[in-house]
Amino acid sequence: KKTNSAKVDTSGRPGTRIEVSISKQKVTIYENGSVAMRMRAIVGSPSRPTPVMRDKISSIKFAPEWNPPKTILQRDIYPELERNPRFLYRGWTVYKGGKKINPRDVDWKTADLSNYRFVQDSGGINALGSIRFTMHNRESIFIHDTPFKASFGKEDRYASSGCIRVEQAGRMAAWMLRQDGQPKSTKEINALKKGPTKII
């Protein structure tokens, strides 16, 4: 927030902030020390926990593509390629040497996977959903939407690879833009979510 951001509340934290409770699997948004909204969250699984950290959100990316980090490539993408390379045929773009290639032309069982870059296209079942709240940290942790909304109805929501998935990403984006002096209506937010990709 451009104003009042330096003020702190009784907790000693900034009065205007987004706070993630890993243990409660919830997100609470504070404005000038008061709760502005709460929503459920999906946080890291026991094997890939969400780290305790403090960071700043630098931008909001609407209709984001997904560049899987190295850890997810090694743990998820590469093993899936060995089992079923056809998953790349829909919703993914593959690059080699900076050039886009056709994944059907590669023998993925023998290829050196480190020579390729995999990008999940925006829309559809993109892992980030329709909105990503960008942060910059060594753990590659950020907050994002998800296409799998039913998961928010579960009591146990320890299911991500470390990032935080939020139940109402559109409302959170609208609140952030309002704080930054760039208010958007629900209609405008929904239009941004549909693409093309845009960073604010």
Side-chain angles (χ1 to χ4, degrees), residues 22-174:
I22 299 170
S23 61
K24 295 179 181 179
Q25 306 157 85
K26 289 185 178 179
V27 169
T28 303
I29 297 177
Y30 293 86
E31 186 173 341
N32 297 327
S34 299
V35 174
M37 68 181 79
R38 290 190 175 97
M39 63 187 74
R40 285 171 283 193
I42 295 168
V43 297
S45 66
S47 63
R48 305 184 198 182
T50 299
V52 176
M53 60 186 293
R54 178 174 177 170
D55 208 343
K56 290 185 178 181
I57 295 173
S58 61
S59 62
I60 304 172
K61 192 170 191 176
F62 292 93
E65 75 290 339
W66 181 44
N67 293 273
K70 186 177 181 179
T71 52
I72 290 181
L73 285 171
Q74 294 174 338
R75 293 185 181 186
D76 301 319
I77 305 299
Y78 294 168
E80 183 64 22
L81 267 173
E82 293 179 7
R83 291 190 298 267
N84 175 33
R86 291 186 180 86
F87 88 92
L88 285 176
Y89 298 173
R90 289 186 61 193
W92 287 84
T93 301
V94 182
Y95 299 88
K96 184 179 182 182
K99 295 183 178 180
K100 182 178 176 180
I101 66 165
N102 187 338
R104 298 172 188 264
D105 295 337
V106 180
D107 182 353
W108 294 109
K109 294 186 182 297
T110 60
D112 181 350
L113 302 181
S114 64
N115 290 329
Y116 298 85
R117 186 164 71 91
F118 304 91
V119 179
Q120 190 178 36
D121 304 329
S122 63
I125 57 170
N126 180 286
L128 306 184
S130 58
I131 302 175
R132 184 188 79 182
F133 301 92
T134 305
M135 302 186 290
H136 301 279
N137 51 77
R138 290 177 297 178
E139 294 86 355
S140 298
I141 297 297
F142 46 84
I143 302 172
H144 63 87
D145 184 26
T146 175
F148 307 111
K149 307 295 187 185
S151 299
F152 290 109
K154 298 179 180 179
E155 185 174 347
D156 183 344
R157 298 188 296 280
Y158 296 98
S160 81
S161 294
C163 287
I164 300 103
R165 306 171 194 165
V166 289
E167 183 179 23
Q168 300 175 55
R171 282 187 67 204
M172 183 167 144

